[in-house]
């Protein structure tokens, strides 16, 4: 567009690369690097479905089942960096590194282990959300005094 401007008698405009407040090039979150070692910033969401049974004495005899599967949502490169060989990619095997996916899950079932790996990789928890619903009770032919509840919980982690 500089030629078009000069032909109309306007001063030539220079194309200037966008800069961050620190003076470096402006990068998108997937490209940005932190100063601690060149790690990419971004988000990873951990999710799981759970179920539990609550009887008449709700808090005294709640029975929780173990987590069956921990799902991982985020950019492929970040998920691989954090979870390495413990990341099961069988549901989305050929995903490019800079693309997002919500189809990975972990090969282990302990939330604490996932949280530890995220913390060690420099991530912090930014948000969490949980839903629960009564899935099966006496009205649906379930046990007389028990109600079976299902829940879905997500934890959002970020690294700046």
């Amino acid at each position: 567009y500089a030629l078009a401007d000069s032909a109309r008698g306007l001063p030539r405009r220079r194309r200037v690369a966008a800069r961050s407040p620190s003076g470096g090039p402006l990068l998108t979150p997937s490209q940005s690097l932190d100063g601690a070692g060149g790690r990419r910033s971004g988000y990873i969401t951990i999710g799981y479905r759970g179920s539990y049974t609550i009887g008449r004495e709700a808090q005294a005899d709640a029975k929780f089942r173990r987590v069956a599967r921990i799902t991982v949502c985020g950019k492929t490169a970040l998920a691989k960096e954090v979870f390495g060989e413990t990341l099961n990619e069988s549901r989305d095997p050929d995903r490019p590194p800079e693309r997002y996916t919500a189809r990975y899950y972990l090969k282990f079932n302990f939330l604490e282990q996932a949280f530890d790996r995220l913390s060690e990789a420099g991530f912090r928890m930014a948000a969490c959300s949980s839903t629960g619903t009564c899935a099966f009770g006496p009205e649906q032919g379930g046990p007389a005094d028990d109600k079976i509840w299902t829940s879905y919980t997500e934890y959002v982690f970020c690294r700046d």
Side-chain angles (χ1 to χ4, degrees), residues 144-158:
D145 291 337
D146 292 342
K147 289 191 176 191
I148 299 172
W149 292 77
T150 60
S151 66
Y152 180 73
T153 305
E154 284 186 338
Y155 301 93
V156 180
F157 290 84
C158 71

Side-chain angles (χ1 to χ4, degrees), residues 1-11 13:
Y1 50 73
L3 288 176
D5 287 345
S6 63
R8 291 186 298 185
L10 299 172
R13 289 185 281 176

Side-chain angles (χ1 to χ4, degrees), residues 49-159:
R49 295 188 190 286
S51 66
Y52 49 95
T53 304
I54 297 180
R56 193 174 293 217
E57 312 301 324
Q59 294 183 348
D61 64 350
K63 298 174 188 82
F64 293 88
R65 292 189 178 167
R66 71 177 180 88
V67 173
R69 178 177 288 178
I70 300 172
T71 59
V72 177
C73 175
K75 283 199 173 181
T76 301
L78 278 177
K80 287 180 179 180
E81 174 193 331
V82 173
F83 297 109
E85 295 299 316
T86 63
L87 187 68
N88 190 328
E89 303 172 56
S90 65
R91 293 176 57 209
D92 205 358
D94 299 321
R95 196 73 176 155
E98 291 305 314
R99 299 298 304 259
Y100 283 92
T101 185
R103 299 181 54 86
Y104 292 161
Y105 61 94
L106 299 177
K107 295 178 182 177
F108 55 82
N109 298 325
F110 302 103
L111 283 172
E112 297 83 0
Q113 190 175 355
F115 291 175
D116 287 345
R117 286 180 177 250
L118 285 158
S119 177
E120 290 165 3
F123 283 81
R124 63 179 172 78
M125 188 181 300
C128 64
S129 177
S130 185
T131 62
T133 184
C134 183
F136 196 63
E139 306 82 29
Q140 294 88 20
D145 291 337
D146 292 342
K147 289 191 176 191
I148 299 172
W149 292 77
T150 60
S151 66
Y152 180 73
T153 305
E154 284 186 338
Y155 301 93
V156 180
F157 290 84
C158 71
R159 181 168 68 189

